Amino acid sequence: MTDVLIVGYGPVGQVAAILLAQRGLTVRVVEKHTTPYSMPRAVSYDGEASRILAACGLADVLAPAADDPVTELSGEYTWKNGFGRTLLHVKVAEDGPAGWPDSTSFYQPGLEDRLAERGAALPGVEVLRGLEVTALADHGDRVDVTAVDAAGAEHSFTAGWVLGCDGANSFVRRWLDAGVTDLGFTHDWLVCDVVLNEPVEFKPNNLQICDPARPRTAVSAGPGHRRWEFMRVPGETLEEFQSLDSVWRLLGLFDITPDTARLDRYGVYTTQACYADRWRSGRVFLAGDAAHVMPPFLGQGMSSGFRDAVNLAWKLDLVHRGLADPALLDTYEVERRAHVQHAIRMSIDSGKVICETDPKQAAGRDSVMLAALRRRTQQRHARSLREAVVDGVLHRAADGAPAPHAGHPAPQGRVTAGGRTGRLDEVVGTGFVLLTRDDPAPGLDVDRAAFLDVLDARRVTVRPGDAASAADGDVVDLDGVLLTYLDGAAADAVLIRPDFYVFGVAAGPDGLAALVDDLRQQVSARALQP
């Protein structure tokens, strides 16, 4: 019996397989397509997604400086109106709060190749292509899975849990009989992926033209690849809109012609904004597009799927090892569904600005945005995507509400320890991390220390300084990111979850003891006796 069977092997399924296998679980993947999809879909991911990919062991191969790179810095992102006036301008931070660029542009087939290579290198990962799952049976202690191949022959598998990463038309979601809440934001966009015959530097690298006569987009799709998108406007038939003549006519708005570029693919994409009403039934879960679909304007679809995968992976690991009560798995939907609803709403709000086709409404929008630009208030827009987890496995105040700072994304800076310099995750490792400004021993008795050891939690004491001043056993906060965070939280310690969200902060030995006790209680004190 396999520990986890994953249905679907797109990027979210790939990340889930890697994160689970790295924790020692056996993973079988069943994918109905015989080969990976060869064309890009997503074209950017955020800093939190970069942190998750790095946790998958892909930091070096996905670096822009890697051999045969598939990523590049997103750089500048500008919105203009139909008259060419700038409505919004964001210079994407190259070193954001997660310790990675706030946005990375990438070529999806290349990313999937790197993920597949990483999965193939891990023991315990088996990928079966050309099999379509047709039935599930949850027996309470296992799940039986039936799939058919191209010849119609049936194949049977058994797994401890099943994770549906099988896209917006998910079979697993239908099997769950999970309703879908549709927020009703739909527009047709013609997506054109292009390779230019000669390299061209685009400034800005990513452009949104909010023209009511024809909303359109020009963005990076990774090194050597570009994407242009055009919205279908009122009075335009779908047949004429999606013709090849229409493609080149619209690309001509950007001086792209058959003489200067090759068209990799084109097709009409209809935006959706929806989420499943239920993400779990017993031993079966949903993740990625199977659980939620959102408009593409903020590049949060795939990044949200990665957050699903890393959230569920550490919880399944604890339950699988007998270190947590299975009720811990209920917090997956609690945490992720509320979190992704924020991303969907933000994407809709951006889409309403971009997709406006009424000239009078567009003129009003322009006036508001131009005034905001003059006041320089719009730069806050990008940061608002760093949403906190509002419920679930979080340190609680006396009234039961999440304590201050609990659920917020944890910062990451550069540190030096043991002669190694790099980001916190790569120097001290991932998993639970207890980061303190002083020796935590006064707040950790034998039982609490043993509990953290059972969790494989890293205990990290940081101090200020530089690489030259580091002594044996020191973890030096080179950029001051971590100590500044503790100062801002009026805390001496922060306990970070394996998905890089803060469980809670504490001041003093008594506060630290309460913090650790609360975590033990929430994951099940009975199961985690040292």
Side-chain angles (χ1 to χ4, degrees), residues 175-191:
W175 179 87
L176 286 176
D177 195 23
V180 174
T181 295
D182 190 337
L183 301 180
F185 187 82
T186 59
H187 293 277
D188 291 334
W189 283 77
L190 180 64
V191 177

Side-chain angles (χ1 to χ4, degrees), residues 265-289:
R265 69 144 187 168
Y266 69 94
V268 173
Y269 167 81
T270 301
T271 64
Q272 299 180 68
C274 56
Y275 54 86
D277 297 329
R278 187 155 56 112
W279 293 33
R280 178 195 180 191
S281 176
R283 289 178 168 264
V284 181
F285 303 84
L286 301 176
D289 285 357

